[in-house]
Amino acid sequence: MRFEIVKCHGSGNDFPLIDARDIALDEAEWAVVARALADRAGPVGGDGLLLLTAGDEVHAFGMVMRNSDGSEAETCLNGVRCVARAGFAALGIDQAQVRLKTSSAFAAHDPDLAPGVYTVRETAGPAGMDVTAWPMRIRTDRLIEGVVPALSDTIRFTAVAMPNPHLVAFVDTVDEAELVRIGTICEGAPDWLPNRANVSFVEVRGGDLFVRTFERGVGLTDSCGSAMAASTHAACLTGRIPTDRETVVFNRGGLVRAQADADGVVTICGNATFEWAGSVEVDLATRVAFGLVVTARYPDEVAAWEAAKRVAG
């Protein structure tokens, strides 16, 4: 089956994106497509697969994000921006309520974050603090700077749902080996955390944040939008940064501007960069992608984002 795709990224979190509004595949088939297209050893590669889906009476359109292992995430805020851009273009609008798996997000085309960088503002939340809803079976229903003995005797985590589950730890310096160790435990879906969780180590740099994330269903990633939102909320909740003040959140892939309010609603302003467009074949039986044809490239957008990263960092 041949798919028209756009390769895009939000803050370095990269995806193939498909307009799936008129494509009839079931859940298992879409999982196959996600694994084939997100495979870094294949012709496309990515942190997952984004689908622009049909709207309803409340939402102009929807988004589905499948991780590179084929599983469906509750949300992906970097992905929301990319799907919103595609939805805006398809429908001739510049703002929309976007349906997610278990919630919705507001998205609007915003003034450029930097010259030539297509920018979308999105609002998500309120953040959920009840870990029994994940479920996370520990001795409390709310975890704020608490130890999880199954993960570490010393690292303190704050548990936030955005609405996908995040464990956020503030550290002096990110230890990637330790992050991978803890993320791998969570990825194994232990009895006390059957639906897994994203794990982030966060450095506070003045009034800004640097976030490094082991993403559920993906692994160590250069960027995770919901992790940046969860980290911003956790930083406000624990008094590390002020509530209702815009903060720059950095990651390996770039940056976004984020702001959390007292109710746990987080607004993120970041890029939705298109790199190229084309088509690719996916054999659903063999689960392999092949025959990539690139029909358009967007070098000016790619260069604009790289320039913005250099200035920021």
Side-chain angles (χ1 to χ4, degrees), residues 54-278:
D56 55 30
E57 61 277 5
V58 175
H59 305 90
F61 49 84
M63 181 196 83
V64 170
M65 187 276 189
R66 289 194 173 272
N67 297 308
S68 56
D69 67 355
S71 61
E72 184 178 351
E74 288 90 343
T75 188
C76 169
L77 295 183
N78 288 330
V80 166
R81 299 198 303 276
C82 295
V83 170
R85 177 177 177 177
F88 295 162
L91 299 176
I93 57 178
D94 61 7
Q95 62 181 40
Q97 199 70 25
V98 184
R99 185 182 62 250
L100 308 176
K101 182 181 180 182
T102 60
S103 62
S104 66
F106 177 78
H109 186 195
D110 230 29
D112 289 355
L113 190 67
V117 175
Y118 188 100
T119 301
V120 174
R121 172 172 40 90
E122 57 189 328
T123 302
M129 302 300 296
D130 181 4
V131 300
T132 64
W134 292 20
M136 183 178 177
R137 302 184 181 106
I138 54 177
R139 294 181 177 179
T140 180
D141 60 2
R142 184 178 170 96
L143 184 69
I144 300 175
E145 303 224 273
V147 171
V148 181
L151 300 179
S152 171
D153 292 330
T154 58
I155 297 174
R156 296 188 172 275
F157 293 96
T158 297
V160 180
M162 284 303 303
N164 49 343
H166 290 269
L167 289 168
V168 177
F170 293 95
V171 297
D172 293 332
T173 304
V174 171
D175 180 338
E176 287 195 2
E178 182 68 356
L179 176 58
V180 170
R181 183 190 71 79
I182 291 173
T184 301
I185 293 172
C186 294
E187 190 70 359
D191 289 345
W192 58 272
L193 190 64
N195 291 327
R196 307 176 293 170
N198 304 280
V199 183
S200 293
F201 284 1
V202 183
E203 298 175 15
V204 180
R205 299 178 174 179
D208 300 328
L209 305 176
F210 173 79
V211 180
R212 195 80 169 106
T213 302
F214 189 101
E215 188 173 357
R216 181 180 60 169
V218 178
L220 196 62
T221 181
D222 282 351
S223 177
C224 174
S226 59
M228 291 187 285
S231 298
T232 301
H233 175 65
C236 292
L237 190 68
T238 58
R240 288 178 166 86
I241 61 173
T243 302
D244 290 324
R245 193 193 76 181
E246 189 174 76
T247 298
V248 179
V249 185
F250 296 94
N251 52 66
R252 286 287 182 87
L255 75 156
V256 299
R257 299 189 183 278
Q259 181 174 315
D261 69 17
D263 296 323
V265 174
V266 181
T267 299
I268 285 180
C269 180
N271 72 303
T273 299
F274 286 1
E275 297 178 316
W276 52 264

Side-chain angles (χ1 to χ4, degrees), residues 13-65:
N13 206 185
D14 68 318
F15 310 94
L17 185 159
I18 296 172
D19 183 346
R21 290 175 298 167
D22 296 316
I23 300 177
L25 293 179
D26 62 27
E27 294 290 310
E29 290 169 326
W30 277 123
V32 170
V33 174
R35 288 193 293 270
L37 294 185
D39 183 358
R40 294 290 184 186
V44 180
D47 286 329
L49 171 67
L50 299 176
L51 304 178
L52 170 65
T53 60
D56 55 30
E57 61 277 5
V58 175
H59 305 90
F61 49 84
M63 181 196 83
V64 170
M65 187 276 189

